[in-house]
Amino acid sequence: MSGLLQPGWRERRVAIGAIALHVVEAGPVSAPTVMLLHGFPEFWWAWRRIIDPLAAAGLRVIVPDMRGYNLSDAPDGVTNYRTEVLADDIAGLATALDLTTFALVGHDWGGLVAWAVAARHPERLDRLVILDAPHPDVWTGYALRHPRQALRSSYVGWFQLPLLPEAALRALDFATLRSSLQTSARPGTFTPAELDRYAEAWRRPGRLTAMLNYYRALPRSSQTIGRIAVPTKILWGQDDGFLDTALAALSRDQCDAGEAVILDATHWLHLEDPDRVAGEIAGFAVG
């Protein structure tokens, strides 16, 4: 289906209620399981440099395309992308795959969904790992107190507008999205050929609107999730151009058992320092 599989990787579609998610898997089926959730504007391939190291560490690795992305179904309507719905997708995927419990890892939007899974379905998670995604309960207050963060996040409001973001992002074969990825990452993190792969996913019918609907659904989603009881590790790139590093400690403080690790990386730490990120995940997921 995807044409991006490496030796030892498997893919399939998994039905979850009214939709189906495209899922890539690696590692022994009977091993402890870790599920990886990508962020905007990536898709399952975001974890291409992490999958093999985790599988080599003896983990079963499950990597879905999130609802609305790439080869997963993209239902119409903003309400289908509320954070609660996205979180329930992940719990439903775990049930469909016969997972009693598992470790969950999320980056960016995948991290926001992972926070919500930990809040709504804590009994399903052994461990939670968050990459550059603030706990929802600290986000708004921090942005209001720190104008620089509010400015950095101004695109979130713009993405909630109708139609205009699609037109702007689609122009010149997604030139703005391509530039945003390259300029916010270390040189060479996203090659032109890799960006072409991303663009293939973006131009699938309905997918760009679905991706933006994550943002449009924010006002219709639960605004607080409460403290997190699941043991949590937060990994944060110290040079993240979208999110202040202080959000890592504030998010850690919302966890009953949490730690924050700051890496020498940007927002795209899973691609810039995959060995370190994979090691942190593997060492924590089976702890």
Side-chain angles (χ1 to χ4, degrees), residues 172-193:
L172 301 176
D173 196 23
F174 302 98
T176 297
L177 278 178
R178 292 171 184 262
S179 176
S180 176
L181 289 173
Q182 286 188 309
T183 59
S184 61
R186 297 275 166 82
T189 300
F190 295 99
T191 67

Side-chain angles (χ1 to χ4, degrees), residues 37 66 83 86-88 90 104 108-118 214:
L37 307 182
M66 302 278 279
T83 306
L86 304 172
D88 291 348
I90 303 309
L104 183 61
D108 186 79
W109 251 109
L112 295 179
V113 174
W115 282 119
V117 175
Y214 278 55

Side-chain angles (χ1 to χ4, degrees), residues 38 46 59 84 127 150 196 231 236:
H38 65 82
L59 292 166
E84 301 94 301
R127 295 286 190 275
D196 286 341
W236 208 276

Side-chain angles (χ1 to χ4, degrees), residues 3 39 43 53 91 113 117 169 198-199 207 209 237 244 248 251 280 286:
F43 60 104
V113 174
V117 175
L169 295 179
Y198 283 107
R207 295 320 191 267
T209 291
D244 288 355
S251 298
E280 294 281 354
V286 297

Side-chain angles (χ1 to χ4, degrees), residues 12 40 121 140 189 197 219 256 270:
R12 55 173 157 159
F40 178 92
H121 307 282
T140 300
T189 300
R197 292 289 196 173
D256 292 345
H270 55 300

Side-chain angles (χ1 to χ4, degrees), residues 32-174:
T33 300
V34 59
M35 189 183 300
L36 310 176
L37 307 182
H38 65 82
F40 178 92
E42 298 190 275
F43 60 104
W44 74 264
W45 200 52
W47 301 104
R48 58 192 176 276
R49 299 173 189 170
I50 301 290
I51 294 172
D52 280 342
L54 292 180
L59 292 166
R60 179 186 182 187
V61 186
I62 296 174
V63 194
D65 280 326
M66 302 278 279
R67 169 189 293 242
Y69 278 83
N70 192 39
L71 295 173
S72 286
D73 288 350
D76 293 333
V78 172
T79 58
N80 282 313
Y81 297 89
R82 290 179 295 117
T83 306
E84 301 94 301
V85 174
L86 304 172
D88 291 348
D89 277 352
I90 303 309
L93 177 59
T95 298
L97 296 176
D98 295 321
L99 302 178
T100 303
T101 61
F102 59 102
L104 183 61
V105 180
H107 170 251
D108 186 79
W109 251 109
L112 295 179
V113 174
W115 282 119
V117 175
R120 292 173 63 82
H121 307 282
E123 74 286 352
R124 304 303 299 271
L125 300 187
D126 297 315
R127 295 286 190 275
L128 176 68
V129 182
I130 300 292
L131 281 65
D132 289 73
H135 186 289
D137 292 4
V138 306
W139 164 247
T140 300
Y142 183 86
L144 290 173
R145 296 191 306 271
H146 296 82
R148 186 182 74 160
Q149 181 59 68
L151 181 61
R152 284 177 160 188
S153 307
S154 59
Y155 69 91
V156 173
W158 184 66
F159 280 176
Q160 293 177 29
L161 297 175
L163 302 178
L164 181 61
E166 280 93 334
L169 295 179
R170 192 177 285 116
L172 301 176
D173 196 23
F174 302 98

Side-chain angles (χ1 to χ4, degrees), residues 235-249:
L235 305 178
W236 208 276
Q238 66 180 6
D239 295 322
D240 190 319
F242 302 106
L243 297 163
D244 288 355
T245 305
L247 286 163

